[in-house]
Amino acid sequence: LNGGAWQGQQLIREDVIAALISSDPQAGAVNRPSVAMGWWSNRNGFFERLPRDAVIAAGDGHQIVLVLPSYNLILVRFGRPLGGVRWHGAFWRALEERLLDPLMDTIEAVR
C-alpha cells in the first residue's frame, strides 16, 4: 500500500513491490484479471468498478487480500467460497458480484 514502507521504515524495497504487482494489461486473458508476479492486477480493467491500481492475492475458496492504493485500503477476506464456487471459471465473477461490487457500493456511498 505504501510502496513497502510501514511507519517510516522500508520493509520491502519499492522495486520488489513494483515487480510483484506490475503486469502487462494486455497479457491477461479476457476472463480474468492481469496476472503479475504472485498477484492479480486490475490494470486491464477486468473488474469494471475497481480502480486500475487494485491488486489481489487470491487463494482457494475466495481467501483474498485486496489492496486499493487509490483508496488507502487493504481488505483481507477469510471464509467459505462465495456462492459455492471454489476456483474454476466463475471464481472471479463470484468474487466481483458478492464482495467487490458491494464493497465499491459502500465506498461510493460514503464518499
Side-chain angles (χ1 to χ4, degrees):
L1 182 64
N2 296 314
W6 176 253
Q7 296 183 345
Q9 183 178 359
Q10 194 68 37
L11 301 178
I12 303 171
R13 292 189 341 241
E14 286 188 65
D15 62 322
V16 172
I17 297 292
L20 289 173
I21 63 174
S22 294
S23 63
D24 177 353
Q26 304 306 317
V30 295
N31 62 349
R32 63 173 167 78
S34 296
V35 66
M37 185 187 225
W39 290 79
W40 298 92
S41 167
N42 197 44
R43 287 186 60 201
N44 66 353
F46 178 78
F47 298 112
E48 292 180 21
R49 296 193 53 207
L50 287 183
R52 294 286 179 115
D53 66 349
V55 291
I56 300 172
D60 187 38
H62 294 109
Q63 315 302 315
I64 68 158
V65 175
L66 169 66
V67 181
L68 299 174
S70 57
Y71 291 99
N72 197 34
L73 176 71
I74 297 174
L75 178 138
V76 178
R77 181 194 187 271
F78 293 105
R80 295 183 179 170
L82 298 168
V85 176
R86 292 191 63 87
W87 191 255
H88 299 288
F91 176 88
W92 296 113
R93 288 300 168 207
L95 180 67
E96 183 173 38
E97 291 170 5
R98 296 178 178 245
L99 181 70
L100 302 179
D101 283 349
L103 171 68
M104 294 310 295
D105 288 342
T106 302
I107 289 172
E108 291 166 4
V110 298
R111 284 195 129 201

